[in-house]
């Protein structure tokens, strides 16, 4: 837990970012979690996953932009991604995930800026027969992100949201979003949140996840079970059976490069599986969050630095 908090703090320190990203050996470890730096790399990953029966959601890496130009760059990158995905002909088996902080959410008037700049992306996705999911970031952004979701869903009801089980508020949010047509990815939560708003112990987060999963699986929406945890995946299957859910009425989502064999095994067995595929040059914060989730990955990273030097 201490290591995890230190890493999450490091994910927001530009000095450390320069050291880590400037180390050539880092690249090999990053490649395990990131599909590549270009859209072409991401499309290759999407094609390979599709051949194994796995859908994708592409994430153009980048967050916390500090200028309107940066936010416009995110919009343009996603428009290009949707154009590239259309060429693969995968329909809604290839969608995109966006972080509103990459669309200017933290700027003055950030809520309106992010909504203005993400709207064309959502429109392009609808036109291409697919969807956009709004990733969830730290707890101070949630009201703005859920308000943007409500606005976008008026014309694009397939727009998805993410709920983080670690937060005390999430059971209520899950009840509010367990409605017809609503796509909700339930995750444990990847940000360092204070005890005033979030459960601090893994067992409490896991219990909260189970409660929220029950709410979503019992409702008429489309639950997206975002977890690598075998207990979560098993519980999701049990609940789907209890609720007599059709196989195409929910899905499991896992991150690119994490438990890839399990992703293929589930897909081969008839579970809908979607991989979250990050790409781009701005991979530092994403990468450090993945290290924070699992101390074993830190060991892997450090060993690779030592063996290369
Ligand atoms: P948990 O961390 O308890 O791990 C269970 C098991 O999974 C581990 O024992 C290990 O076997 C495996 N595992 C987990 N993480 C691993 C790793 N990094 N490397 C290797 N093995 C690992 N968060 C957020 O705050 N906002 C968001 O929008 C999203 N979006 C998102 C999309 C998708 C598709 C996924 C899967 C996850 C997210 N997350 C997220 C991240 C999420 O909040 C959470 O931090 C991670 O999924 C890790 O939690 P698990 O549920 O996997 O379980």
């Amino acid at each position: 837990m201490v290591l995890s908090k230190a890493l999450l703090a490091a994910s927001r320190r530009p000095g450390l970012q320069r050291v880590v990203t400037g180390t050539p050996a880092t690249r090999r470890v990053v490649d395990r979690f990131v599909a590549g730096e270009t859209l072409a790399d991401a499309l290759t990953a999407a094609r390979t996953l599709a051949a194994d029966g796995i859908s994708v959601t592409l994430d153009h890496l980048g967050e916390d932009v500090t200028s309107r130009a940066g936010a416009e760059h995110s919009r343009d990158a996603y428009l290009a991604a949707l154009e590239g995905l259309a060429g693969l002909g995968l329909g809604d088996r290839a969608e995109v995930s966006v972080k509103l902080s990459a669309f200017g959410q933290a700027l003055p008037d950030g809520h309106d800026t992010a909504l203005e700049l993400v709207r064309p992306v959502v429109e392009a996705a609808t036109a291409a027969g697919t969807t956009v999911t709004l990733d969830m970031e730290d707890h101070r952004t949630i009201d703005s992100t859920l308000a943007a979701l409500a606005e976008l869903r008026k014309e694009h009801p397939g727009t998805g949201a993410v709920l983080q089980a670690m937060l005390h508020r999430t059971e209520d949010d899950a009840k509010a979003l367990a409605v017809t047509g609503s796509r909700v990815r339930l995750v444990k939560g990847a940000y360092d949140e204070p005890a005033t708003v979030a459960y601090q112990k893994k067992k409490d987060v896991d219990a909260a996840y189970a409660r929220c999963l029950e709410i979503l699986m019992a409702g008429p929406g489309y639950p997206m079970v975002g977890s690598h945890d075998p207990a979560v995946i098993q519980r999701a299957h049990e609940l789907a059976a209890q609720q007599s859910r059709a196989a195409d009425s929910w899905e499991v989502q896992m991150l690119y490069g994490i438990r890839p064999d399990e992703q293929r095994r589930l897909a081969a067995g008839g579970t809908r599986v979607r991989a979250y595929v990050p790409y781009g040059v701005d991979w530092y914060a994403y990468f450090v969050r993945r290290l924070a989730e699992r101390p074993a990955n830190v060991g892997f990273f450090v060993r690779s630095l030592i063996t290369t030097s």
Side-chain angles (χ1 to χ4, degrees), residues 40-264:
D41 294 330
L43 296 177
T44 300
R47 225 182 277 113
T48 306
L49 288 159
D52 282 332
I54 297 170
S55 303
V56 296
T57 183
L58 291 197
D59 166 36
H60 178 259
L61 289 163
E63 49 200 87
D64 295 333
V65 299
T66 52
S67 67
R68 182 165 173 107
E72 288 174 354
H73 175 73
S74 296
R75 175 200 58 197
D76 295 344
Y78 273 102
L79 291 175
L82 285 164
E83 212 177 304
L85 286 175
L88 299 187
L90 295 171
D92 66 0
R93 292 174 58 208
E95 63 137 33
V96 296
S97 286
V98 305
K99 286 185 174 51
L100 289 186
S101 79
F103 285 75
Q105 193 178 38
L107 301 176
D109 288 328
H111 176 78
D112 293 342
T113 303
L115 191 52
E116 174 204 330
L117 295 177
V118 83
R119 200 184 283 280
V121 176
V122 176
E123 286 167 357
T126 302
T130 190
T131 47
V132 174
T133 296
L134 307 183
D135 281 351
M136 200 57 89
E137 303 177 70
D138 81 66
H139 76 277
R140 290 162 303 186
T141 66
I142 295 177
D143 286 334
S144 162
T145 301
L146 290 181
L149 175 79
E151 200 50 47
L152 293 166
R153 284 199 72 225
K154 286 180 190 164
E155 285 179 34
H156 306 277
T159 308
V162 178
L163 294 180
Q164 299 151 316
M166 73 187 300
L167 299 176
H168 301 149
R169 61 178 284 168
T170 296
E171 270 181 80
D172 288 339
D173 289 335
K175 285 177 192 152
L177 288 181
V179 295
T180 304
S182 167
R183 295 171 60 256
V184 180
R185 177 196 303 152
L186 181 64
V187 300
K188 292 187 184 176
Y191 293 81
D192 183 19
E193 301 288 12
T196 45
V197 300
Y199 300 108
Q200 302 293 304
K201 293 189 183 134
K202 180 172 163 44
K203 76 169 178 29
D204 294 333
V205 176
D206 288 353
Y209 193 106
R211 291 194 297 274
C212 295
L213 187 61
E214 275 197 38
I215 294 166
L216 295 174
M217 292 296 267
Y222 184 85
M224 305 186 281
V225 182
S227 179
H228 315 95
D229 186 339
V232 165
I233 307 301
Q234 189 189 329
R235 186 68 187 135
H237 280 99
E238 286 165 9
L239 290 168
Q242 269 169 33
Q243 303 287 342
S244 306
R245 272 189 169 271
D248 64 358
S249 74
W250 66 288
E251 68 186 40
V252 169
Q253 296 190 348
M254 294 191 189
L255 300 176
Y256 177 84
I258 300 184
R259 304 196 72 204
D261 294 345
E262 180 65 359
Q263 295 181 25
R264 284 191 287 270

Side-chain angles (χ1 to χ4, degrees), residues 276-299:
Y276 182 104
V277 179
Y279 70 98
V281 290
D282 207 354
W283 44 259
Y284 173 75
Y286 178 90
F287 171 65
V288 175
R289 283 198 296 276
R290 302 294 77 84
L291 294 185
E293 275 156 16
R294 197 158 182 250
N297 288 341
V298 181

